[in-house]
Amino acid sequence: MPFTEIYRTLGLSRNTVACWLYRSRSKIDSSPDRRCPFCARPARPVDHPADYAYLLGMYLGDGHLLTTGRVPLLRVACDLRYPRVIAEVGDAMRACGARVVGHQRREGRDDVRSSWMHWPCLLPQHGPGKKHERAIRLVPWQQRIVDAHPGRFLRGLFHSDGCRTTNRIVRAGREYVYPRYQFVNESSDIMRLCQESLNELGVRWRMGRRTMLSVARRDDVAELDRHVGAKC
């Protein structure tokens, strides 16, 4: 209900109603946010670590945390061609503490967005500048989550900056067709995190170039299919 309508309906002065509202809000805002595992009292581990591992992978790939406004805004850019990826990102945000998840569509993409004061608590890698131009290091509690859920972390990385494609090569006049995964990222730190998680799963990989990783052996592709699969 609009503020003006509240005090007119109650027949009270504007100042009285404003005092009630703003005092109440200040008490709420000053209390610990129980949705944030680090600001709750007592502090606790992340509530849904598998969902967090996925969201972290998406953030490191196509995410951005804007902290210049009053309330930090987390935004993950998703391709409109993959509605299930868009839905999964929104679900992961809500599992990690977001109350409201919105969407902004433009130029063939859907920016999945959520404003929350405590996103910086959950994503300490945020900072000025592009990710590949600064160091990206996981803090110990993040590393424990990624080590426990490497498949979900890789799912986020490949859903953001990776793909599952069909490769065709011709050798000695014979054509070979096989699926493979590729991950492309300019950040050497993020590429290292991808490599380490693949190692955790026993998946063999090779570097086509400094910024491109490939998984092409049949058994390794099948293992990634269990955790990632094609985007849809």
Side-chain angles (χ1 to χ4, degrees), residues 28-196:
I28 293 174
D29 292 343
S30 63
S31 62
D33 190 335
R34 296 182 183 276
R35 291 178 293 148
C36 176
F38 306 104
C39 297
R41 295 294 180 267
R44 65 179 187 277
V46 171
D47 294 326
H48 301 281
D51 292 311
Y52 176 80
Y54 176 76
L55 183 61
L56 177 62
M58 289 295 301
Y59 165 74
L60 292 178
D62 287 329
H64 176 65
L65 182 57
L66 183 65
T67 58
T68 55
R70 191 176 71 85
V71 179
L73 173 66
L74 175 61
R75 180 176 62 212
V76 177
C78 300
D79 194 313
L80 277 174
R81 293 175 297 173
Y82 309 122
R84 290 188 181 178
V85 173
I86 295 172
E88 190 167 356
V89 173
D91 290 342
M93 286 184 178
R94 282 184 283 268
C96 290
R99 280 182 177 158
V100 178
V101 175
H103 300 266
Q104 183 179 30
R105 295 190 175 186
R106 55 184 178 182
E107 301 174 0
R109 78 180 198 223
D110 187 320
D111 288 347
V112 187
R113 302 152 54 95
S114 173
S115 296
W116 187 27
M117 289 297 298
H118 297 272
W119 283 126
C121 301
L122 292 168
L123 298 169
Q125 284 70 38
H126 75 280
K130 298 176 181 179
K131 296 189 189 80
H132 68 273
E133 295 175 348
R134 52 190 171 87
I136 300 294
R137 298 285 188 272
L138 300 185
V139 297
W141 65 264
Q142 287 180 305
Q143 190 65 59
R144 288 192 293 270
I145 290 176
V146 169
D147 290 344
H149 303 278
R152 290 288 290 169
F153 179 62
L154 288 169
R155 184 177 177 86
L157 289 179
F158 278 93
H159 276 184
S160 57
D161 283 339
C163 62
R164 185 186 190 277
T165 62
T166 299
N167 195 40
R168 290 178 170 83
I169 60 173
V170 177
R171 289 180 178 172
R174 183 177 178 182
E175 184 181 49
Y176 296 87
V177 180
Y178 60 92
R180 69 173 176 178
Y181 282 89
Q182 288 182 310
F183 177 72
V184 180
N185 196 289
E186 294 288 332
S187 168
S188 59
D189 288 334
I190 295 175
M191 183 63 72
R192 174 182 51 79
L193 292 172
C194 180
Q195 295 167 351
E196 291 173 353

